[in-house]
Amino acid sequence: MGAPLALVDCNNFYASCERLFQPALRGRPVIVLSNNDGCVIARSNEAKALGIAMGEPWHLIKEKYWREDLVVRSSNYTLYGDLSARVMQILKDFTPDLEIYSIDEAFLSLEGFERRLDAHARHMRATVLQWTGIPVSVGIAPTKTLAKVANRTAKKDPVSGGICALLTEAEQTAALSRLEFTDLWGVAGRLATRLADIGIVTPLHLRDADPRFIRERFSVVLQRTVLELQGTPCIPLDQVSPDRKSVMASRSFGQPVLTMEELRQAVGTHTARAAEKMRRQQLATTGVVVFLHTNRFRPDLPQYSPSRLIRLPVASADTARILQASLRALGDIYRPGFRYVKAGVLFPELVPEASVQGDLWTEADAPARKELMAAMDALNHRFGRGTLAFGGSAKEAAWHLRRDHASAPYTTDWRHLVRVGGPSR
DNA sequence: TCTGGGGTCCTAGGACCC
DNA sequence: TCTGGGGTCCTAGGACCC
C-alpha cells in the first residue's frame, strides 16, 4: 500500500463562489446556469434540498421554482478560475506533491504526514476557508478512487466536519456500503445497467469482483476501478499535467441558424478562440475538425450532425492559416435547409509549437518513428510474434498491448509502453 | 421559444492502399 | 464452389469525467 492521498474538493464550487461576494445569499438556495442559461450546473445545499437536479434544463423547471426564494446566477468562469487558482495556491503550501484534477479538485500526496493525517487535513480545510471563503471537503485513502469515496462520505456525513479518512478495510467497507452505485468514480448509468446484468449492483459487489473477469467482460478502465477499490493504486498522482491532446471551442446558438453566413461567423470566432487557447499552451495543430449539430431534442425535425477533418500541410498555430482550413471544412459539410443549433471547431492532434519550424517538424518526427519501430520489434520479441501488429499508430499499438497483456499500465504513450513492456534498455 | 462546454478513451464500418 | 488479407485513415458515435 502506498502513502495516503487526499482529495480536496470545493463544496458546490460555482455556487460558493457566487455567494462569496454576496453574503446575503448565505443560507438561501443558489443555482448557477450554463451558457445561454441553458442548464443547472451548480447548486448550493439548500438548492439540492429543493430537489433541483444537476444538469436540469432551466426552462423546464423555472415555472416550478419562481415562488421559492431561489437565487439564480448566470455563470462567470473568469471569477471561478481566479478563485480556483487561489485555492490551489494555498494547497500547494501544504504539500508540493499536488495534482490539480479539475477547476475545483486536487489530489495531494500525504507522504510524511501519516502520523497526523487528521490534524493536517483540518488545518488545510480551515486555512482555505479562512483565506478564500470557499468551504472544501477532504477525503483521505490509499488510492484515488477510494479518496473519491472518502470525499463523498465527508460531504454526506454531517458529523464528519468535512473530513473523512478511509485507511482500514473496515472503514472502507462501511463507507462503500453507504454509497450509491453510481456515486463511484467511473461508474455512470450505462455501465451500472450492464453490471446489473451480471448481478453487480452495489459498490461492495464491484470491489469484491475478480479484476481479471471485469477486464475480460468490460474494460481495462473498469478493472482499474476494481483494483483501486481494493486498495491497489493504479492511477498515479500526475503532478505535471501532460500536454493537451486536443482543443475544442463550440457554442450552442440561442436560436436555430440556417444560413451559411451565420455559420461562417460562428466558425470564425470558434477557430480564433481555440487557436488562442492552443497557443497559450504552446501547442500547434496538425488539422482542424469543424462540426455542426441540428437539435437532437427535436426528433421530429430532420437531423444532420456532420463533421469534417482538414489536415494542414504543416502543423500550425497561426489563426489565419487555420481559419482558411476551417472555412473549407464548413463549406464541405454545410447543407441548406437544416436548422443548426450548434457549431464547433476541434483541433484533434496537437504537437509542441517548438517542434514546428517551417515544414521541418515532419522531418524531426522521422527518427522517433524509427525508434518506435525498434521498440515494437522488441515487444514482439518478448511477448511473442504478432503481439503488436504495428503500422504507424501508437494509439492502436497501445490498445493491442493493453488488450493482450493485462499487466500493461494504462497509457497511450508508446514511450511509456517501451519502458513497461520492452526488455530493459 | 428555451436543453452547456471541454476533455479522454474506445469501437465499428467503409474507403483506400499494397 | 468460390470470392485475399493486412494495414491506415476517416467518420460517427458511445461512454465516462468535471
Side-chain angles (χ1 to χ4, degrees):
Chain A
M1 192 186 290
L5 285 164
L7 172 62
V8 179
D9 187 319
C10 302
N11 299 349
N12 314 326
F13 185 51
Y14 297 170
S16 298
C17 292
E18 292 295 334
R19 237 175 210 176
L20 220 52
F21 300 103
Q22 266 185 292
L25 302 189
R26 272 184 215 157
R28 290 177 64 187
V30 177
I31 62 172
V32 177
L33 301 179
S34 65
N35 260 32
N36 294 330
D37 291 345
C39 298
V40 177
I41 54 170
R43 306 157 296 156
S44 70
N45 287 342
E46 297 78 6
K48 289 177 188 172
L50 287 179
I52 300 174
M54 188 67 172
E56 243 178 320
W58 174 233
H59 76 272
L60 291 184
I61 58 167
K62 64 174 157 196
E63 284 302 309
K64 193 169 156 192
Y65 292 106
W66 72 272
R67 63 173 71 232
E68 306 279 353
D69 193 24
L70 185 63
V71 179
V72 184
R73 289 272 183 274
S74 297
S75 37
N76 177 352
Y77 294 102
T78 315
L79 171 70
Y80 311 149
D82 287 350
L83 285 167
S84 170
R86 288 169 62 186
V87 170
M88 298 304 170
Q89 189 52 53
I90 292 166
L91 294 178
K92 270 183 200 160
D93 291 342
F94 280 86
T95 168
D97 306 328
L98 165 144
E99 171 188 345
I100 298 174
Y101 178 69
S102 73
I103 193 162
D104 68 339
E105 284 169 277
F107 287 103
L108 283 67
S109 165
L110 293 180
E111 196 172 358
F113 295 97
E114 286 87 346
R115 277 189 291 177
R116 39 188 295 265
L117 287 176
D118 199 65
H120 195 62
R122 267 168 221 295
H123 189 195
M124 270 195 310
R125 188 170 184 279
T127 310
V128 174
L129 186 62
Q130 189 190 340
W131 292 2
T132 67
I134 299 286
V136 301
S137 300
V138 185
I140 300 171
T143 69
K144 283 186 170 178
T145 306
L146 283 170
K148 279 269 187 185
V149 171
N151 191 286
R152 199 160 261 275
T153 305
K155 283 211 173 83
K156 274 190 174 177
D157 189 354
V159 301
S160 67
I163 289 160
C164 169
L166 301 176
L167 300 173
T168 68
E169 197 187 321
E171 289 168 334
Q172 293 160 9
T173 304
L176 285 169
S177 69
R178 288 197 299 268
L179 235 54
E180 301 289 325
F181 197 22
T182 49
D183 284 345
L184 287 180
W185 197 32
V187 180
R190 304 298 170 93
L191 210 47
T193 310
R194 283 179 61 204
L195 284 162
D197 290 343
I198 55 168
I200 297 180
V201 297
T202 68
L204 281 177
H205 286 163
L206 188 63
R207 183 196 67 183
D208 297 332
D210 175 6
R212 283 190 314 192
F213 169 75
I214 291 295
R215 157 181 246 288
E216 280 161 23
R217 188 74 183 253
F218 295 88
S219 69
V220 65
V221 180
L222 192 60
Q223 181 194 31
R224 279 190 314 177
T225 301
V226 174
L227 287 168
E228 287 237 323
L229 286 174
Q230 295 174 353
T232 309
C234 299
I235 312 172
L237 197 70
D238 255 326
Q239 292 180 51
V240 187
S241 48
D243 281 348
R244 285 261 164 275
K245 295 181 173 172
S246 62
V247 158
M248 180 165 60
S250 69
R251 281 286 178 280
S252 297
F253 304 117
Q255 306 97 21
V257 157
L258 286 86
T259 69
M260 180 63 165
E261 193 37 48
E262 287 172 287
L263 291 176
R264 285 174 67 95
Q265 286 227 3
V267 165
T269 2
H270 298 341
T271 302
R273 266 180 49 230
E276 266 171 48
K277 212 190 292 186
M278 177 174 72
R279 281 193 298 269
R280 240 178 283 136
Q281 302 173 57
Q282 291 168 51
L283 297 169
T285 186
T286 56
V288 53
V289 178
V290 172
F291 58 88
L292 301 172
H293 285 294
T294 50
N295 191 344
R296 65 197 164 97
F297 298 104
R298 291 290 303 274
D300 53 314
L301 296 176
Q303 296 290 312
Y304 180 47
S305 309
S307 71
R308 173 95 163 99
L309 164 71
I310 304 262
R311 291 258 168 221
L312 298 171
V314 175
S316 171
D318 178 63
T319 303
R321 272 166 98 162
I322 301 169
L323 182 60
Q324 222 183 349
S326 293
L327 293 178
R328 192 146 55 86
L330 175 64
D332 284 351
I333 57 178
Y334 173 71
R335 301 277 177 275
F338 288 100
R339 299 165 68 84
Y340 300 99
V341 298
K342 183 175 183 172
V345 168
L346 171 74
F347 301 158
E349 278 166 35
L350 304 177
V351 298
E353 201 174 11
S355 70
V356 185
Q357 286 170 7
D359 55 3
L360 284 180
W361 85 272
T362 40
E363 298 281 327
D365 206 36
R369 249 186 98 88
K370 231 170 150 181
E371 196 188 333
L372 175 54
M373 291 294 206
M376 291 303 150
D377 280 349
L379 285 167
N380 281 335
H381 183 71
R382 165 154 168 188
F383 289 113
R385 223 185 113 120
T387 296
L388 293 178
F390 178 70
S393 158
K395 223 194 226 168
E396 282 173 46
W399 181 81
H400 279 285
L401 188 71
R402 287 202 303 277
R403 188 190 59 184
D404 299 333
H405 300 282
S407 61
Y410 188 79
T411 174
T412 51
D413 183 344
W414 61 267
R415 293 170 188 86
H416 190 198
L417 290 179
V418 173
R419 284 202 296 278
V420 302
S424 48
R425 304 170 351 140

